[in-house]
Structures are given as structure tokens and as C-alpha cells.
Amino acid sequence: MAEAAFCDFHARTAPSLWAYLVHASGDRALADDLVQESFLRLLQSGFNPESEEHRRRYLFRIASNLLTDHRRRSWRTAAAPVDELVMPVAAAAEGLAQDRDVGRLLRELPEKERRLLWLAHVEEMEHKEIAGILGLRSGSVRVLLFRARQKLGALLRRSGLGPEGGV
Amino acid sequence: MTRNMEHSEGRLDLAVIDRYLKEAAAATRAEARLADPHQLLWRAELRARSRAAERAVRPITVFRNLALGASAATGALLLASGDLPVAAALRRFLELAPGLGASLGISVISAAALAALWLYSSWAEG
């Protein structure tokens, strides 16, 4: 991969990958490390896809595998404190409060469900792509995603952030 | 009608979930502190060189370990065949204490097994 092309790809992809890993793992330092390692593995793989989107999906797959490997190695699976997900200081007060709530509510879900929701809603990936990234079957993704949405929807409603909460 | 209400509630939930996750993503992306891509390229190159060096040295490591294993096996065979003065002395010692023969045999077999295990692990690491 040419240097300029890699730098462009990094600038476009790294912030999204970092956000995914921060919310999936709940650990900013770990997300920092995994983003770097993911890009390094991508470079080492010599993977030459037909499109940038394909490369992006491959990168997310690497990152997901690295996070899974890290979890397997680490006996400490407890989530990081909510403060790990502090949002930008520049954000408006209302938005800041909402974002913190999202962080808090997401943290109440298991890591697998957080990953599913993130890939489906933020990265707007199809079930098949999510299945490839998370090592699941497409049919399982559909069911698990449905359950995850139900849980998060219930949490949002209970916290007054859902449809009835006037959001 | 109830089914329709549930359906529309589900759609509303979906929209709310989508909006919240996207807002969270936008806020988190804005704070990303990312490594310099040039540094990543440099590190990738260093790793590639390091791996190439490891690959180049691997046959030497394997053959060195094979040679060590073969030496150990030859030594054990020479001791067992008794062509060396050391072996003769050992045999005389064993004649004085016949019970030691079996335990010495077990020791030799254990040592050979350990050597084989060590050889295999060295090869696997390489």
C-alpha cells in the first residue's frame, strides 16, 4: 500500500475504529493499542482489496479479533468505569449529558451486544458483514441484534431517554 | 391494532437507538488521539525486517537443535554399548549395585524424552 494512500485511509478510518473499540471494550488505552495493532496487521497482511470499503471491513475484522484475543488472554473482564467514556469538553451541555447516558446505557449491555449494535447502527454494516467481522452466522446476527435492540430500547425508555422520554 | 402499535413503537425505538449511537460515535470520534500514520508505516517495516531475519535464522536454529539431539542420542548409545572406559567403569559400578541398573535405565530414557521435548519446543518456537 502506497504511503499517501495509507495515510488517507488511516485518516478516514482510524477515528471510527477507535470509537468502535472504545465503546466495545470500555477502555481507551486498550482502544489506542488495538487501533495501532490493527493497522500494523493490515499493513503486514499485504491484503489488496478491490475497494476501500472492503479494506475497511477487513480492518474492523482484525480489530474485533484482536479484542477477542485480548479478552481471552485477560482474566480481568470487568468493564472500565463510565468515566472512561467521557465525551468532548466542547460538546454542548445537553448533548454531553445525552452522550454520557448512551455510554452508561451501552455499558449495561454485554460486550457482544455493544459490538453488534455499533456495527449495525454506526458503521451501518449488513448482517452478513457483521457476521464476518464477529465470527457469527448471519441468522444469529439477526436474532442477537434484535435482542440487543430490545434491551437498549428498554434501557432508554427506563432512563427517560426513549420515545416517551421526549427525546 | 395492538400489533400495529407494537410495530410502530419498535420503529420509534430503532430510530432513537440509531440516533443515540450515532451521536455517541460522533462525539467519541472527535476525541480520537491517533498515532502518526508515518510512524505506523515505519513500525510495520521494522516488523517485516525482524520477521525476515527470524525466517533466515530459523533453519540454523533447527539444525543446531537437531545436532544437539543427535549428539545426546549418540552419547547414550555409546554409553549403552560399553565401548568407552567410562561405560566400563559404569558397568563395574552397576555390578556392585545391581539394583541401580533399572533406575539408571529409567533415567536415560527420561533424559532422552526430555531432550526430544526440548528439541520439539525449540523447533516450535523457531
Side-chain angles (χ1 to χ4, degrees):
Chain A
M1 197 173 179
E3 189 172 335
F6 174 75
C7 291
D8 284 348
F9 177 70
H10 182 269
R12 278 194 299 273
T13 320
S16 300
L17 185 66
W18 188 76
Y20 164 64
L21 288 168
V22 164
H23 285 277
S25 69
D27 185 337
R28 285 165 170 258
L30 179 63
D32 287 345
D33 291 346
L34 294 183
V35 166
Q36 288 193 37
E37 189 58 32
S38 302
F39 276 98
L40 283 172
R41 299 264 176 115
L42 177 75
L43 285 167
Q44 285 171 340
S45 71
F47 181 62
N48 196 19
E50 65 241 20
S51 68
E52 179 170 319
E53 196 49 43
H54 196 180
R55 180 179 284 128
R56 185 186 168 89
R57 284 199 297 274
Y58 186 68
L59 183 71
F60 271 79
R61 187 175 193 156
I62 293 172
S64 284
N65 289 340
L66 286 172
L67 180 56
T68 304
D69 289 347
H70 175 82
R71 290 290 183 235
R72 281 188 191 139
R73 279 197 307 270
S74 172
W75 60 269
R76 187 180 66 85
T77 50
V82 178
D83 286 350
E84 291 279 339
L85 294 171
V86 170
M87 298 302 163
V89 178
E94 191 186 340
L96 186 65
Q98 284 178 3
D99 285 336
R100 276 192 170 150
D101 280 327
V102 168
R104 179 176 58 78
L105 294 174
L106 266 180
R107 301 208 57 71
E108 290 184 30
L109 299 176
E111 187 174 303
K112 188 195 255 182
E113 291 181 350
R114 294 204 298 267
R115 290 200 211 185
L116 277 164
L117 285 168
W118 198 270
L119 292 174
H121 288 270
V122 178
E123 296 302 324
E124 297 182 339
M125 289 183 183
E126 311 237 333
H127 290 177
K128 196 178 163 189
E129 293 168 345
I130 297 172
I133 287 172
L134 297 182
L136 300 167
R137 283 179 300 167
S138 284
S140 306
V141 169
R142 195 170 149 267
V143 175
L144 292 169
L145 196 53
F146 177 74
R147 285 185 198 151
R149 280 176 181 144
Q150 277 192 321
K151 280 191 197 174
L152 186 57
L155 286 169
L156 284 165
R157 278 196 299 277
R158 205 186 308 151
S159 308
L161 298 166
E164 293 97 36
V167 177
Chain B
M1 190 174 166
T2 313
R3 202 171 171 183
N4 279 344
M5 279 176 71
E6 278 174 4
H7 183 68
S8 67
E9 190 178 278
R11 286 181 71 85
L12 209 54
D13 266 359
L14 205 61
V16 171
I17 289 168
D18 199 66
R19 186 180 148 195
Y20 269 93
L21 287 171
K22 280 181 176 151
E23 281 180 6
T28 314
R29 276 190 210 118
E31 328 172 39
R33 299 158 303 173
L34 302 167
D36 178 9
H38 296 98
Q39 195 191 1
L40 286 173
L41 282 163
W42 176 69
R43 282 178 60 192
E45 197 181 321
L46 278 183
R47 271 196 195 179
R49 281 185 195 174
S50 167
R51 289 198 175 174
E54 274 175 27
R55 271 199 301 274
V57 170
R58 190 176 298 171
I60 297 170
T61 311
V62 169
F63 278 105
R64 188 196 64 194
N65 291 338
L66 278 173
L68 281 170
S71 303
T74 311
L77 277 173
L78 283 172
L79 271 175
S81 65
D83 289 341
L84 289 174
V86 177
L90 189 65
R91 250 199 328 275
R92 276 199 299 278
F93 173 70
L94 289 176
E95 279 166 9
L96 290 172
L100 283 174
S103 58
L104 189 71
I106 290 167
S107 303
V108 168
I109 290 166
S110 305
L114 279 173
L117 195 67
W118 172 73
L119 192 66
Y120 175 75
S121 64
S122 307
W123 175 76
E125 277 173 20

